[in-house]
Amino acid sequence: MLPEVATNILKASSIRLFATNAARATSQTAVNRMASVTERKKKPTEEAHINFKNAYRDDSKFGKRPIYLDMQATTPVDPRVLDKMLPFLTGLYGNPHSSTHSYGWETDKEVEKARKNVADVINADPREIIFTSGATECNNTAIKGVARFYGKTKHHIITTQTEHKCVLDSCRHLQDEGFEVTYLPVGTDGLIDLEELEKAIRKDTCLVSVMAVNNEIGVMQPIEEIGRICKKHKVFFHTDCAQAYGKIPLDVNKMNIDLMSISSHKIYGPMGIGALYVRRRPRVRLEPLINGGGQERGLRSGTLAPPLVCGFGEAARLIREEFDDDQAYIGKLSSKLTNSLLSLPYTQFNGSKEHHFAGCVNVSFAYVEGESLLMALKDVALSSGSACTSASLEPSYVLHALGADDALAHSSIRFGIGRFTTEAEIDYVISAIKERVTFLRELSPLYEMVQEGIDLSTIQWAGH
Ligand SMILES: Cc1ncc(COP(=O)(O)O)c(C=O)c1O
């Protein structure tokens, strides 16, 4: 497409003409893709059966690729989001902070519409939404920002052992600056104990930071109860909602949330944009990480990127429109996948089944090494944990926190289901997993011993 665009630039007598043509052409592609997605979503399983030897997706001009079940790492951009973004990359190029002319006014108006769309999902005031580069920046800004602002009198932070690395790492940095951090443990279901949380709150606690939905196991913490406890003790409550925003009902007022981290690329919006909700009444004060022109209420300086902001806004608007449909659809696929996987012997569902977001299914397959299983499943894009830790081959610290031993943590796979996953893909993955797990277990001496009735816990392994 690029050479075509370049030729168009040369041919077009004015940039405006080029802009309209390019926008229209891509918009058409987006519409076509959307139509095929809708069709795929509706296709009954039998009709859409995928040939076992030909399981690769080919719904794009990027060649054949595996089935995508890694929705916690990122979600594909909804074509309707792309349509919304395109005019800002062509004709609507004004700086939204330019207040002296119409180029600035027109983008500013759209940015403010997007801000309202993002705010509406969580019942916030648009003035409480600060655009950032993503949830990592939000978590850093919220945790370091609150701690540093109130740090003269308050030196203590509470979080949990199963937070995303960017929360844990922000806390570690604050420990280097002299803050004390309590890392609350979780039970075997992945949930924190609310009594333990309340007991951990001290007179000098400035912040409680607990994620709403875990990115590895999908466990939902009791956010409303945590908010109530924080309010009672007059401690600020921050929640990392990168995996929760748009996926579970959230209301900052009902849940007494003071700060919330949101990421656009987890809700079918573009990468590189997120939002931090910061309560205005009672006001939460923050020390900004980035100083400069004073944009975003002085909490995050720098020129906003209207294509990203408006794409994010559209993704948020679509979330509100399609929330019930998405939930029902993802829930249906998730139940099918979970029930089928758990019908295999020696499998375990990781985390609470009751307090759980359906789009994230984490299952351990005993006597199969997770990485070997991933290698045997080249036709499915999956992860054995979060995108950042799966590269290190270390067993997941989240599963360890739930009490899993190394073997169990190593044998776990995360399945991420989203708006554009099809039932045929789920059916394929179920068959593929059954086949490959059976195959790998047949190669496993441990599995053979278990089949022979040997209790592995009684074996004295020789050290080396
Ligand atoms: C729970 C959680 N928090 C934070 C992040 C970071 O989000 P971003 O990629 O927007 O920086 C992620 C991304 O995987 C996440 O899952």
Side-chain angles (χ1 to χ4, degrees):
M1 183 180 159
L2 263 181
E4 219 181 285
V5 171
T7 329
N8 275 347
I9 292 178
L10 292 173
K11 277 192 201 150
S13 53
S14 77
I15 286 178
R16 224 172 120 227
L17 178 63
F18 155 66
T20 340
N21 285 344
R24 218 178 274 139
T26 324
S27 171
Q28 203 48 48
T29 319
V31 169
N32 289 345
R33 205 176 133 215
M34 189 63 215
S36 74
V37 157
T38 319
E39 216 172 86
R40 264 212 317 273
K41 246 172 116 167
K42 283 185 191 148
K43 241 180 202 171
T45 331
E46 304 77 49
E47 273 178 46
H49 180 73
I50 302 176
N51 181 332
F52 220 55
K53 291 201 173 59
N54 185 22
Y56 295 86
R57 271 190 102 106
D58 193 5
D59 59 349
S60 68
K61 51 190 176 304
F62 303 107
K64 292 194 174 179
R65 294 182 301 165
I67 287 171
Y68 188 78
L69 279 193
D70 201 11
M71 298 293 172
Q72 279 66 44
T74 197
T75 50
V77 169
D78 191 302
R80 293 165 292 181
V81 167
L82 176 64
D83 276 348
K84 185 77 190 177
M85 291 170 68
L86 283 167
F88 298 95
L89 292 161
T90 49
L92 296 174
Y93 52 79
N95 181 329
H97 312 296
S98 295
S99 55
T100 52
H101 51 71
S102 58
Y103 288 80
W105 305 333
E106 62 195 10
T107 40
D108 179 54
K109 195 170 141 205
E110 293 302 317
V111 161
E112 292 317 312
K113 275 193 211 159
R115 198 186 298 280
K116 178 157 173 24
N117 282 332
V118 171
D120 282 349
V121 175
I122 53 171
N123 191 26
D125 184 316
R127 290 171 298 178
E128 297 174 313
I129 297 296
I130 306 297
F131 287 117
T132 66
S133 63
T136 299
E137 187 187 327
C138 293
N139 286 335
N140 273 266
T141 305
I143 296 166
K144 292 177 186 168
V146 167
R148 288 174 185 162
F149 192 91
Y150 296 95
K152 277 204 184 87
T153 50
K154 305 209 167 196
H155 315 99
H156 180 233
I157 295 153
I158 300 171
T159 188
T160 81
Q161 292 177 359
T162 54
E163 297 297 310
H164 191 269
K165 284 268 178 181
C166 61
V167 167
L168 297 175
D169 225 40
S170 296
C171 290
R172 301 245 189 272
H173 266 79
L174 289 171
Q175 282 178 285
D176 292 343
E177 291 176 25
F179 287 89
E180 281 179 57
V181 181
T182 300
Y183 298 92
L184 292 173
V186 295
T188 50
D189 53 6
L191 292 163
I192 60 162
D193 178 336
L194 292 173
E195 272 180 33
E196 222 171 312
L197 165 68
E198 194 155 12
K199 267 195 245 149
I201 296 177
R202 314 190 317 208
K203 277 208 164 59
D204 66 342
T205 305
C206 55
L207 186 73
V208 168
S209 179
V210 179
M211 75 199 319
V213 171
N214 185 276
N215 48 302
E216 286 192 38
I217 50 177
V219 165
M220 286 161 42
Q221 298 291 351
I223 293 302
E224 195 165 343
E225 285 85 340
I226 297 171
R228 208 172 296 131
I229 292 170
C230 291
K231 190 172 183 191
K232 180 173 143 198
H233 293 275
K234 296 192 172 62
V235 176
F236 289 128
F237 174 34
H238 164 250
T239 176
D240 175 359
C241 285
Q243 300 289 349
Y245 179 94
K247 316 277 172 71
I248 63 168
L250 290 168
D251 181 323
V252 287
N253 297 315
K254 197 169 140 220
M255 298 175 164
N256 292 304
I257 295 167
D258 296 304
L259 300 120
M260 181 193 291
S261 301
I262 305 166
S263 179
S264 151
H265 73 102
K266 313 287 186 187
I267 59 155
Y268 316 97
M271 286 179 180
I273 178 101
L276 179 63
Y277 160 79
V278 184
R279 180 172 287 287
R280 275 166 64 88
R281 285 204 185 85
R283 188 170 169 204
V284 182
R285 310 288 299 272
L286 298 176
E287 190 72 44
L289 288 186
I290 300 175
N291 306 107
Q295 292 93 343
E296 299 300 280
R297 284 172 51 204
L299 296 177
R300 207 279 188 173
S301 286
T303 305
L304 287 175
L308 300 183
V309 170
C310 296
F312 180 19
E314 181 65 2
R317 193 187 68 75
L318 291 169
I319 282 290
R320 291 229 305 157
E321 219 166 65
E322 302 195 353
F323 188 83
D324 292 342
D325 185 46
D326 280 351
Q327 293 280 309
Y329 183 69
I330 291 169
K332 185 181 101 176
L333 296 189
S334 174
S335 302
K336 187 172 197 180
L337 178 70
T338 308
N339 294 336
S340 303
L341 295 182
L342 295 184
S343 71
L344 275 171
Y346 310 111
T347 49
Q348 179 184 310
F349 184 89
N350 292 313
S352 165
K353 259 189 160 176
E354 193 190 337
H355 303 277
H356 180 256
F357 165 60
C360 179
V361 176
N362 192 310
V363 175
S364 291
F365 302 90
Y367 317 116
V368 174
E369 218 262 315
E371 296 302 323
S372 317
L373 187 52
L374 286 185
M375 299 285 273
L377 283 164
K378 285 275 182 232
D379 40 1
V380 190
L382 286 163
S383 162
S384 58
S386 69
C388 54
T389 38
S390 60
S392 67
L393 285 189
E394 267 176 43
S396 148
Y397 66 89
V398 171
L399 293 177
H400 270 173
L402 267 67
D405 59 17
D406 272 4
L408 196 78
H410 263 307
S411 70
S412 71
I413 301 278
R414 178 183 72 182
F415 301 84
I417 304 166
R419 181 184 288 167
F420 300 131
T421 308
T422 68
E423 190 162 356
E425 288 175 323
I426 293 296
D427 288 343
Y428 177 84
V429 171
I430 291 169
S431 313
I433 288 273
K434 284 188 176 167
E435 186 197 65
R436 321 284 159 87
V437 165
T438 309
F439 172 76
L440 289 170
R441 279 183 178 160
E442 273 161 16
L443 301 177
S444 158
L446 289 182
Y447 184 68
E448 200 182 325
M449 287 161 89
V450 172
Q451 295 308 296
E452 285 164 6
I454 300 169
D455 179 355
L456 295 183
S457 63
T458 60
I459 295 179
Q460 302 255 309
W461 301 102
H464 56 84

